[in-house]
Amino acid sequence: MLRNIISILSMLGLSVLIIPTELALATDNVQLIAPGDPAMAKAHEKSKSELDGFLEKLRNPPAGTENYSIKLGFTDKAKGVALTTDQMAPNVEFMWVYQIKASGDHFTALLSDTPEYIRNIKPDDRVEFAKSDIFDWMYTENGKVKGNYTACPLLLAGPKEQLDQYREIYGIVCD
């Protein structure tokens, strides 16, 4: 059950590189977001500015919160993957991790998404990362999504009806 919820949320989280064009979140018709997109950079900065508050909630979850997830940027290397927050780096795929365990500013989690381009990692692989590797974050509070700032540039690039549906169903607020 929790895995299904996480899968739905990770699909809602969307990839920084692509946005599904249907509410069902199918990956057939996708829209690309250009590397270095100013709206995405702004969303990442907003995520970073509120990261400490998120990490505090992750470590001591308040009542009514659940489904904590973090978005990381992955690139393939000869063996395994490397992490980056650089939107301009070549061949980066941003994906969500869940079941996060924190130890200071170091973390482990499981990959929630199915990679589209990255080949050296698969869903449920364990990922180790540092606070500085975090690109975005989200959790649900009383059924509404908190964080997930990188969804807004993706949703704003798609059909207005989709943004309205996500806003109504998930409580996503885009500036």
Side-chain angles (χ1 to χ4, degrees):
M1 172 79 170
L2 178 60
R3 176 70 176 142
N4 290 339
I5 291 169
I6 295 296
S7 293
I8 290 168
L9 285 173
S10 75
M11 288 186 289
L12 168 65
L14 310 171
S15 167
V16 167
L17 298 176
I18 59 176
I19 178 173
T21 58
E22 296 180 11
L23 185 60
L25 300 171
T27 57
D28 293 341
N29 299 315
V30 296
Q31 230 172 6
L32 295 177
I33 298 293
D37 177 76
M40 190 60 71
K42 181 179 175 185
H44 174 58
E45 287 304 314
K46 185 171 184 179
S47 172
K48 281 177 34 178
S49 74
E50 297 179 19
L51 180 58
D52 288 336
F54 166 78
L55 294 175
E56 180 58 34
K57 286 183 178 177
L58 173 68
R59 289 180 174 102
N60 302 296
T65 66
E66 60 186 345
N67 301 320
Y68 288 79
S69 298
I70 290 174
K71 185 181 275 188
L72 303 170
F74 294 86
T75 60
D76 279 326
K77 58 182 195 175
K79 292 186 179 181
V81 293
L83 297 173
T84 184
T85 60
D86 182 359
Q87 297 176 62
M88 298 301 288
N91 306 314
V92 177
E93 187 168 359
F94 289 86
M95 297 180 281
W96 293 95
V97 296
Y98 73 111
Q99 290 188 1
I100 305 155
K101 306 264 190 261
S103 176
D105 284 347
H106 290 36
F107 305 86
T108 61
L110 301 179
L111 182 65
S112 180
D113 292 323
T114 300
E116 292 286 321
Y117 311 104
I118 303 300
R119 298 291 169 230
N120 292 336
I121 193 167
K122 62 188 181 315
D124 291 326
D125 278 357
R126 183 154 305 282
V127 178
E128 295 183 22
F129 58 98
K131 178 181 174 182
S132 61
D133 294 320
I134 297 173
F135 193 78
D136 197 3
W137 50 266
M138 73 174 169
Y139 63 96
T140 57
E141 183 173 19
N142 300 319
K144 297 296 181 183
V145 172
K146 302 295 180 182
N148 195 11
Y149 298 115
T150 56
C152 288
L154 296 164
L155 290 169
L156 290 169
K160 182 185 179 319
E161 300 80 33
Q162 185 180 23
L163 175 61
D164 292 342
Q165 289 173 332
Y166 278 106
R167 185 177 288 135
E168 183 178 328
I169 296 168
Y170 300 107
I172 290 178
V173 178
C174 297
D175 299 333

